Amino acid sequence: MPGNMAHAERERALALARESERILLSGHLRADGDCLGAQAVLFHAFRALGKECEILLPDPPDGRYGFLREKTPWAVKDPQAPLPPHDLLMVCDCSRLSRLGEMGALVEASEIPRIALDHHPLEEGKSPWTALFHDLNSPASGLLALEFSRALGVEPGPEACEAAFTALMTDTGWLKYSNAGPVAWEAAASLVAGGVDTVKVYHEVYQRAEPGRPRGIAAAMSNLEYHEDGKLALAWVDEASLDGEHASLEDTDEVLDLMRAVDGVEAVAFLMPRSGLWKASLRSLSVVDVNEVAETLGGGGHARASGVMFPEGTTLEEARGSLLKGLQDALRALP
Ligand code: 5GP
Ligand code: MN
């Protein structure tokens, strides 16, 4: 149960949504299943209430979630264009303007009310949001979107249930990760009982990889190294190896899960090229706070799952070195 402060904040967010007629939805760069799923749930709730609503993403989402578009339309923002007319902006699955890419500056300069619906740790300092719908303990923003929808009096229909299920399953690794507690399992059960086609969602998200993916993963795993007596695993793959196998490795959870599956491993990091930069994904098993490590390197995320985009010009050796040092320091600081 959220405390009084959080409760008042949530009521403010709900009141803003109730009084708004043209709602613009968005989310973080390279939207994943949770980010898209949360937006889809809200989209259908607002439409059911007779409001105008559109989803505008800062850049193209991860392709494996394209199936959600059959039931929920979205557009990708033209970098030159202003934000479309709206009287409320709602951003899902992030609460840092920097995670909106170039859209962040437009949002910051705008006077229009804005809400973040999120489950990531909040940035310190002054909040850039008019109101927050935030719960650090929620396993997925998609579940927060369901709560939001129900608080507005809208019971989710089949489209919203499928979207919320996709959000929950992708953020919990199909209910495997440490964020999958009773709340996640109960929500999953009620969505499944409501008719979600789980086999279809699994197939769309996890069984439609490109033919080069297994060999792309093999290339990545050939660069696997262990440190700190096997408590730390680090791996990387470069553009040339991925191109050679026609592998995109859009989603790295499989690689990270495999590294984290090794007995004795507590923290893992994987480096790969993305949009011309080095992108790191960090995961831990139970004690290392990889959000703290990612933050020192300019990224962020959750305690057990975080990411970093290294600045332009960073070499593989530099990125690898700073990741290794950050994780080593975190492991050595443990009691
Ligand atoms: P992934 O490694 O799957 O891309 O991301 C894991 C988690 O870290 C997600 O919660 C994601 O939102 C967050 N994350 C990934 N990349 C970044 C980044 O560059 N900056 C921040 N602040 N968070 C990130
Ligand atoms: Mn999420």
Side-chain angles (χ1 to χ4, degrees):
M1 202 48 199
N4 283 342
M5 279 288 286
H7 183 73
E9 184 80 36
R10 280 170 169 237
E11 286 305 316
R12 199 157 64 235
L14 288 162
L16 270 172
R18 282 189 197 101
E19 71 197 26
S20 301
E21 288 307 326
R22 287 175 118 179
I23 302 173
L24 183 63
L25 292 168
S26 195
H28 58 74
L29 288 170
R30 218 180 164 74
D32 57 10
D34 189 29
C35 183
L36 286 169
Q39 290 176 76
V41 169
L42 294 175
F43 175 88
H44 292 288
F46 293 140
R47 286 289 177 101
L49 292 167
K51 298 177 189 291
E52 276 183 47
C53 180
E54 64 180 297
I55 296 178
L56 186 66
L57 305 172
D59 66 350
D62 185 331
R64 64 178 60 205
Y65 304 108
F67 72 99
L68 291 172
R69 210 175 191 175
E70 287 163 22
K71 294 170 186 149
T72 310
W74 63 69
V76 175
K77 191 179 170 302
D78 169 354
Q80 318 302 332
L83 292 174
H86 57 285
D87 57 12
L88 175 66
L89 171 74
M90 231 176 132
V91 168
C92 295
D93 201 37
C94 76
S95 45
R96 294 170 189 230
L97 293 176
S98 61
R99 293 282 284 146
L100 301 178
E102 289 173 16
M103 231 167 107
L106 292 181
V107 171
E108 193 168 23
S110 159
E111 304 274 304
I112 297 167
R114 48 186 187 252
I115 299 173
L117 175 138
D118 190 25
H119 65 147
H120 291 90
L122 295 172
E123 216 165 4
E124 283 179 20
K126 190 174 176 301
S127 167
W129 305 100
T130 319
L132 283 166
F133 199 83
H134 180 258
D135 184 355
L136 195 56
N137 295 317
S138 180
S141 295
L143 293 193
L144 292 176
L146 278 184
E147 274 181 52
F148 200 91
S149 170
R150 290 193 171 115
L152 293 177
V154 180
E155 254 319 292
E159 304 83 8
C161 285
E162 183 182 80
F165 182 78
T166 304
L168 176 62
M169 291 296 118
T170 55
D171 257 29
T172 60
W174 216 264
L175 298 176
K176 282 195 306 287
Y177 301 147
S178 56
N179 57 351
V183 168
W185 283 82
E186 275 175 29
S190 94
L191 292 166
V192 174
V196 174
D197 185 344
T198 64
V199 174
K200 177 202 158 193
V201 174
Y202 190 84
H203 178 70
E204 290 288 347
V205 178
Y206 296 110
Q207 296 176 321
R208 298 193 62 192
E210 66 283 10
R213 186 174 172 91
R215 277 198 289 266
I217 292 176
M221 293 297 88
S222 68
N223 297 320
L224 172 67
E225 22 180 272
Y226 293 104
H227 299 272
E228 303 295 299
D229 297 326
K231 290 194 207 56
L232 170 53
L234 208 141
W236 54 271
V237 68
D238 60 15
E239 197 91 57
S241 328
L242 291 179
D243 285 352
E245 299 299 347
H246 306 289
S248 63
L249 285 197
E250 274 197 10
D251 180 278
T252 52
D253 281 344
E254 262 169 294
V255 175
L256 294 156
D257 282 350
L258 185 57
M259 293 163 69
R260 191 162 47 167
V262 173
D263 191 23
V265 166
E266 164 58 23
V268 305
F270 179 62
L271 263 170
M272 60 171 298
R274 173 146 323 150
S275 319
L277 304 176
W278 283 104
K279 145 103 197 186
S281 285
L282 293 80
R283 302 287 187 270
S284 65
L285 195 66
S286 56
V287 279
V288 168
D289 188 332
V290 289
N291 174 46
E292 279 180 13
V293 177
E295 280 191 351
T296 63
L297 302 172
H302 304 276
R304 307 281 168 260
S306 67
V308 182
M309 285 292 263
F310 285 95
E312 211 172 334
T314 309
T315 64
L316 170 61
E317 265 321 297
E318 287 163 351
R320 188 188 149 280
S322 51
L323 272 175
L324 181 57
K325 172 146 193 341
L327 288 169
Q328 275 174 331
D329 289 350
L331 274 163
R332 289 174 191 175
L334 292 175

